[in-house]
Amino acid sequence: MQTSSHQAGSIALVAAVLAILACPAYAEVTLNAGARLSNDSNVNGSPDTPTKANQQSDNFLSLSASAVYFKPLDDAQTNYFIAQAGAMTAYYNKFDNLDSSMLMASAGFYRQLSPTWSGQIMGRGFRRDTRQNERDSNGVGASLEIKKQLNQTLWLKGVADYEDNKANLASFSYTGATYGLNLGYLPRPDTFVNLGYSHSARDFKSLVAFNATTQTLFAEVTERMSKNWYLNGGYAYMKNDSNFVGTAYTNHVLSLGVSFSY
């Protein structure tokens, strides 16, 4: 769910930011929904060595819906309060034990620091349900984003995120931190390209210390098809490792989706 969550969240955030830039000085709400079909080349997380023969691919469908509320806090519209509530669910074709759903709510502040610099800080709470009761969890998290507008069509954004996930079975609980860098580009008014890298680390609260890391390179393209409809596609390369020898593996995730924002 990590990749699909990020992609669905990025579409909702792009729509919200575009609305913020265009809106007059009063509160606004945007409604977002999306469907995305993805293929994961190594959905079972089988190690790359000594052989990749045990790696299995699977297709999964992600559905998402959210409402984003934003309100300017000053006449100059440089400070905004933002709140979001949403739900996501994923259905796998073969590995249906990986099916899951999540409810999430978040709130925070956006600030235009200068003509070219802006920042956003958000806190969130979530509830995740899976086919495996011991993995069902709830948790909290926070994120910080700093964005530099390089010119009218190009920007760079740094992201830092922290999450505390408490599962029904303690060994599936973890704390995790993610750091990322995104390059956004508007080659045309209705085309958005997002390139990025992220590094995440999770410390699981198992009896034997287990620490997992994931490095992700991704590329996403979003095309506005009409006033409220978007077509989006992406590719992600994920390199996973842990403190246990022989567990390193890679994933290639391809996805294509459609989203709606109003």
Side-chain angles (χ1 to χ4, degrees):
M1 284 285 286
Q2 182 180 0
T3 303
S4 58
S5 296
H6 166 76
Q7 292 166 332
S10 66
I11 298 303
L13 190 57
V14 167
V17 170
L18 290 175
I20 287 174
L21 295 176
C23 76
Y26 52 81
E28 289 279 355
V29 175
T30 63
L31 303 178
N32 309 283
R36 178 179 288 260
L37 184 63
S38 303
N39 177 268
D40 188 335
S41 66
N42 185 17
V43 70
N44 58 326
S46 179
D48 287 350
T49 58
T51 175
K52 295 184 178 182
N54 296 321
Q55 297 182 355
Q56 299 188 48
S57 66
D58 198 6
N59 300 317
F60 62 93
L61 175 66
S62 301
L63 303 175
S64 63
S66 66
V68 181
Y69 170 86
F70 49 92
K71 178 178 176 60
L73 301 177
D74 59 350
D75 292 338
Q77 299 186 58
T78 58
N79 297 282
Y80 283 84
F81 170 75
I82 304 175
Q84 180 174 353
M88 291 191 62
T89 186
Y91 300 98
Y92 285 76
N93 182 32
K94 295 181 292 187
F95 289 80
D96 57 3
N97 61 309
L98 296 177
D99 291 357
S100 63
S101 60
M102 183 170 67
L103 297 174
M104 184 181 69
S106 61
F109 298 94
Y110 167 90
R111 180 177 176 83
Q112 190 71 41
L113 302 169
S114 76
T116 59
W117 286 94
S118 61
Q120 179 177 288
I121 185 168
M122 300 286 288
R124 67 181 180 276
F126 61 88
R127 171 68 189 177
R128 182 180 290 114
D129 293 305
T130 72
R131 285 286 190 93
Q132 305 167 65
N133 181 67
E134 62 272 16
R135 291 181 180 268
D136 291 352
S137 63
N138 56 72
V140 294
S143 63
L144 173 67
E145 299 182 1
I146 300 294
K147 178 181 173 183
K148 169 66 172 177
Q149 192 76 36
L150 302 175
N151 56 47
Q152 288 187 341
T153 62
L154 190 68
W155 63 90
L156 190 65
K157 181 170 66 176
V159 180
D161 186 271
Y162 175 81
E163 183 170 292
D164 186 354
N165 180 85
K166 291 180 169 56
N168 289 345
L169 185 62
S171 59
F172 292 118
S173 299
Y174 64 84
T175 55
T178 300
Y179 304 95
L181 196 63
N182 292 15
L183 181 67
Y185 176 50
L186 282 170
R188 298 188 301 130
D190 292 327
T191 305
F192 171 61
V193 178
N194 186 23
L195 307 175
Y197 166 81
S198 68
H199 180 279
S200 65
R202 291 181 175 182
D203 297 327
F204 287 84
K205 301 174 183 179
S206 51
L207 294 177
V208 178
F210 179 60
N211 312 116
T213 60
T214 301
Q215 298 182 70
T216 304
L217 288 169
F218 62 88
E220 301 170 349
V221 179
T222 299
E223 180 76 19
R224 193 204 306 258
M225 307 303 294
S226 64
K227 180 180 179 181
N228 302 111
W229 289 93
Y230 301 82
L231 182 66
N232 40 77
Y235 166 75
Y237 168 79
M238 306 171 71
K239 182 178 180 181
N240 307 272
D241 205 354
S242 78
N243 57 319
F244 290 173
V245 176
T247 61
Y249 66 95
T250 54
N251 299 72
H252 300 271
V253 181
L254 288 168
S255 59
L256 181 66
V258 63
S259 58
F260 174 84
S261 181
Y262 177 76

